[in-house]
Amino acid sequence: MSNPHFETDVLIAGAGPGGASTSVFLAKEKINHIIIDKAVFPRDKICGDAFSGKSVGILKRITPAWQDYFLADKNKAVVSTGIQFTAPDNTCLDIPFLLKNTKEQIPAGFVSKRIDFDNTLAGLIDNHYATLLTDTLLEDIEEIKDGLLVTIKQHGERKQIFTKMIVGAEGRGSIVAKKMAQHTMEPAHYSAGIRAYYKNVSGMHEQNYIELHFLKKLQPGYLWIFPLPNGTANVGVGMLSKSISLKKVNLKQLMLEAIKTHPTLKDRFVNATIEGPIDGWGLPLGSKKRKLSGTRFLLTGDAGSLIDPFTGEGIGNAMVSGLVASRVIKKAIDANDFSIHFLKQYDDELYTKLWTELKLSHYLQILSSKPRLFNFVVNKASRSKELKETISCMFENVDIRKKFMNPLFYLKILFNR
């Protein structure tokens, strides 16, 4: 082996939510490491920009002062206190998020552009333990004796890093996932999304509820409207890639048509103006279990296909995977064991945390693709306080979500007035 430019026990590829969280928690374990990203911060990231209570929970672990970093600037974030569903028959249902501890007045969620959120999170990377290399592209990974030889291109110059293990956190299209875990894109477990920023969309909820509109032409999928500061909204649509191919759907055309003609939307966009382009991206869904580790590697976030199949939210799961990754990496370094068998505990621990929720969300994704059943549930919930509270709880309580998989649940609400 020629002399590498850098040597480290741990290399993290990607400084988005999954990679940055891994880095922050490794620093708390006093583990030196290198983290690279192809971009220079601040940089934009195509996303819905909504952050769930799960993200809030991890941010609290990162720093008790997280609100000062992420919410204090009202030009960069708005607190969201609920979600609004619009069924295919246009029935509207408001579901407030339930706060676990109202005494602390912890926000249940918020909306912030990724250019702001990711830049703030990357700013919390501890440079005492982490060496952050930006404008640094991961090109190749070669297994050699006692480690990995990783080829990067830093500021256009090709260099090499020797590392004992690597964390794939580069999002969809991850080189680590493709090369070391042999992941491929599966249309049945992948969604496509587009988003645009609009100014002056009217009729936004006074408490900044995020909106999901389950339009017939978009199933299985939905159109979203998420409130942002200064009268701006993130507007987009997402649909299962398999269905896009089968139906030969043009997402951009569908979104613009819905905004212009749909009875619940057209009046709200009369005075709205689009800011910037309509951008698209892919969402690797966590609707099937995948290999998340192997000899000398772990996968976090979108690189591990951990996006919620129902909501499309991936940031919270990415940050959870970063926390779990840091714990397993600490054990691997202490044991000097980076084998496939030792690192498999990462898959086991992470799926123990996430799989029940991901599986139930996949079921809800299927439910949302059946207009009559979805209309039925939303209509009943709009008239039933008990059912509305059940749906509200399901966003925080996996056991509550299980009710939606039980046929008796639908019989009960059928006869519940």
Side-chain angles (χ1 to χ4, degrees):
M1 180 183 72
S2 59
N3 292 329
H5 297 81
F6 305 95
E7 291 191 24
T8 183
D9 284 347
V10 185
L11 172 63
I12 303 171
S21 297
T22 306
S23 175
V24 170
F25 288 117
L26 282 180
K28 291 180 183 293
E29 299 285 359
K30 297 180 171 55
I31 295 173
N32 294 311
H33 58 281
I34 294 174
I35 178 168
I36 65 174
D37 198 282
K38 65 181 180 181
V40 175
F41 291 83
R43 57 97 175 98
D44 195 14
K45 192 76 172 180
I46 307 169
C47 183
D49 298 334
F51 297 82
S52 67
K54 188 182 296 182
S55 302
V56 169
I58 299 297
L59 289 174
K60 285 175 59 185
R61 286 173 173 263
I62 287 174
T63 170
W66 74 271
Q67 293 191 58
D68 295 335
Y69 287 100
F70 294 93
L71 298 182
D73 189 340
K74 303 306 179 184
N75 292 313
K76 292 184 177 180
V78 296
V79 172
S80 178
T81 61
I83 186 169
Q84 185 179 82
F85 291 103
T86 301
D89 67 357
N90 300 329
T91 301
C92 189
L93 175 65
D94 283 2
I95 299 293
F97 294 137
L98 296 182
L99 297 178
K100 291 182 178 179
N101 189 340
T102 54
K103 291 182 180 180
E104 293 184 47
Q105 295 184 337
I106 300 169
F110 63 98
V111 189
S112 177
K113 288 184 177 180
R114 288 288 298 277
I115 191 172
D116 297 317
F117 177 86
D118 285 19
N119 188 52
T120 303
L121 185 59
L124 294 175
I125 291 173
D126 187 344
N127 59 18
H128 183 75
Y129 295 100
T131 300
L132 174 60
L133 306 176
T134 58
D135 190 19
T136 302
L137 177 68
L138 173 62
E139 287 196 331
D140 195 23
I141 307 164
E142 179 186 354
E143 294 187 49
I144 60 173
K145 183 181 179 181
D146 298 327
L148 304 171
L149 191 61
V150 179
T151 302
I152 60 171
K153 186 177 284 187
Q154 184 186 31
H155 312 311
E157 182 182 351
R158 190 164 280 108
K159 297 181 179 180
Q160 290 184 318
I161 300 174
F162 173 80
T163 182
K164 292 182 180 178
M165 69 171 297
I166 189 168
V167 178
E170 324 102 296
R172 67 178 182 90
S174 161
I175 291 176
V176 182
K178 288 179 180 178
K179 189 172 182 68
M180 304 195 76
Q182 289 76 52
H183 284 196
T184 58
M185 197 280 267
E186 300 178 61
H189 303 281
Y190 202 90
S191 282
I194 62 170
R195 73 101 168 95
Y197 291 117
Y198 278 84
K199 193 84 170 177
N200 299 321
V201 178
S202 64
M204 303 297 288
H205 197 282
E206 62 181 10
Q207 294 182 11
N208 294 322
Y209 278 27
I210 63 174
E211 303 176 32
L212 302 182
H213 298 261
F214 291 85
L215 311 182
K216 288 181 180 179
K217 291 184 178 180
L218 280 171
Q219 293 178 320
Y222 55 79
L223 180 147
W224 69 78
I225 303 175
F226 295 164
L228 282 163
N230 305 314
T232 302
N234 182 315
V235 181
V237 297
M239 181 184 279
L240 199 63
S241 296
K242 182 179 179 180
S243 299
I244 291 175
S245 298
L246 289 172
K247 298 179 180 180
K248 296 180 171 54
V249 169
N250 183 316
L251 287 184
K252 180 178 179 181
Q253 181 180 328
L254 272 182
M255 186 181 84
L256 294 176
E257 180 184 338
I259 286 171
K260 186 177 181 180
T261 65
H262 196 272
T264 64
L265 298 173
K266 60 182 182 179
D267 291 342
R268 299 179 59 187
F269 282 83
V270 169
N271 298 314
T273 55
I274 193 168
E275 297 186 327
I278 298 176
D279 292 315
W281 80 109
L283 295 88
L285 304 177
S287 46
K288 67 171 281 188
K289 284 188 175 181
R290 290 175 175 81
K291 180 180 180 180
L292 301 178
S293 67
T295 303
R296 300 191 182 278
F297 78 89
L298 302 176
L299 301 175
T300 64
D302 291 7
S305 300
L306 296 174
I307 293 176
D308 188 286
F310 179 60
T311 66
E313 198 266 340
I315 299 166
N317 286 347
M319 297 177 74
V320 169
S321 68
L323 172 60
V324 175
S326 70
R327 292 171 175 168
V328 174
I329 292 168
K330 173 69 162 58
K331 293 177 184 177
I333 290 174
D334 289 346
N336 193 30
D337 189 343
F338 305 94
S339 67
I340 184 173
H341 302 292
F342 191 91
L343 294 179
K344 188 180 180 298
Q345 62 186 290
Y346 171 72
D347 303 55
D348 297 339
E349 184 177 343
L350 188 59
Y351 276 130
T352 296
K353 286 181 175 293
L354 298 180
W355 181 242
T356 299
E357 181 179 352
L358 289 171
K359 184 170 64 175
L360 292 172
S361 288
H362 187 210
Y363 181 84
L364 291 173
Q365 178 196 50
I366 296 170
L367 170 66
S368 70
S369 70
K370 302 181 184 300
R372 289 184 180 179
L373 185 56
F374 198 68
N375 287 338
F376 169 67
V377 174
V378 172
N379 274 272
K380 280 288 183 177
S382 66
R383 299 191 298 271
S384 167
K385 180 181 178 182
E386 180 185 357
L387 181 55
K388 184 181 290 189
E389 289 177 351
T390 297
I391 295 174
S392 182
C393 289
M394 86 178 193
F395 287 95
E396 290 294 337
N397 191 325
V398 173
D399 291 330
I400 296 294
R401 284 197 209 186
K402 290 179 181 178
K403 289 185 177 184
F404 285 83
M405 297 181 70
N406 187 344
L408 293 177
F409 173 75
Y410 298 99
L411 286 175
K412 180 180 177 180
I413 65 174
L414 177 63
F415 297 104
N416 181 4
R417 296 181 181 179

